[in-house]
């Protein structure tokens, strides 16, 4: 009886993972990279953060510079992914995640990169955090 219950649970779990992996594939491969727009966006973010700093709004400037660092790491990781440099991409994505662990958008590329590096447990962990109803990641808290 116990063996039957384990089998039932095991066969019920793959469908959500298949759906999540399919969605992950679509997000990572069908969204075109925007190199020129990324450079302009980073430049504008830097200028905004610098203005806040010059105005003496240190807390706001620190938050703006932190967001700029996160975006810089994400953009560089995307370049590494395009070149097939998965370890380097993973390092930058992890650095961005360490700066902003509540940012939902980092979990998909981290999971995909972990899959490419055959770090299946880590990839599943990021995907499960997105799939758990009521979790901060699933709600998209950022």
């Amino acid at each position: 009886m116990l063996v039957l219950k384990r089998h039932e649970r095991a066969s019920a779990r793959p469908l959500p993972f298949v759906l999540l992996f399919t969605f992950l594939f679509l997000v990572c491969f069908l969204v075109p990279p925007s190199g020129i727009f990324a450079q302009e966006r980073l430049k504008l973010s830097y200028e905004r953060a610098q203005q806040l700093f010059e105005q003496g709004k240190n807390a706001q400037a620190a938050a703006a510079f932190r967001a700029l660092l996160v975006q810089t790491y994400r953009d560089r990781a995307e370049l590494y992914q395009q070149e097939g440099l998965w370890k380097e991409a993973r390092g930058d994505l992890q650095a961005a995640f360490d700066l902003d662990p509540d940012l939902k958008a980092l979990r998909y590329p981290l999971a995909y990169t972990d899959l490419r590096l055959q770090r299946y447990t880590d990839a599943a962990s990021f995907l499960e955090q997105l799939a758990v109803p009521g979790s901060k990641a699933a709600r998209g808290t950022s």
Side-chain angles (χ1 to χ4, degrees):
M1 190 65 128
L2 181 61
V3 174
L4 181 60
K5 286 184 180 183
R6 282 187 183 172
H7 177 69
E8 288 172 359
R9 261 189 292 166
S11 64
R13 287 196 70 167
L15 183 59
F17 282 110
V18 169
L19 294 175
L20 285 172
F21 287 123
T22 302
F23 182 72
L24 178 64
F25 172 80
L26 294 174
V27 167
C28 290
F29 287 110
L30 298 182
V31 176
S34 53
I36 294 173
F37 298 119
Q39 290 174 354
E40 187 63 27
R41 184 184 63 243
L42 290 173
K43 179 182 172 190
L44 292 173
S45 294
Y46 172 78
E47 289 171 355
R48 244 179 280 133
Q50 188 64 31
Q51 275 182 334
L52 290 168
F53 175 74
E54 290 169 0
Q55 294 169 357
K57 299 178 180 177
N58 293 339
Q60 292 173 327
F65 279 119
R66 184 177 298 109
L68 176 63
L69 281 172
V70 169
Q71 191 58 51
T72 302
Y73 280 127
R74 288 176 66 188
D75 289 347
R76 190 169 70 171
E78 185 177 325
L79 293 173
Y80 285 143
Q81 287 174 336
Q82 291 172 7
E83 297 297 320
L85 301 170
W86 300 106
K87 287 182 182 179
E88 291 83 353
R90 178 63 168 84
D92 277 1
L93 290 169
Q94 185 63 51
F97 184 77
D98 291 343
L99 287 168
D100 192 355
D102 291 331
L103 186 59
K104 180 181 175 183
L106 289 172
R107 296 177 194 282
Y108 290 112
L110 269 165
Y112 179 72
T113 303
D114 282 341
L115 284 172
R116 296 299 301 236
L117 292 170
Q118 299 179 355
R119 296 173 58 168
Y120 302 119
T121 304
D122 293 335
S125 174
F126 282 115
L127 293 174
E128 284 176 348
Q129 291 171 21
L130 291 169
V132 176
S135 72
K136 288 174 84 173
R139 286 193 307 264
T141 305
S142 58

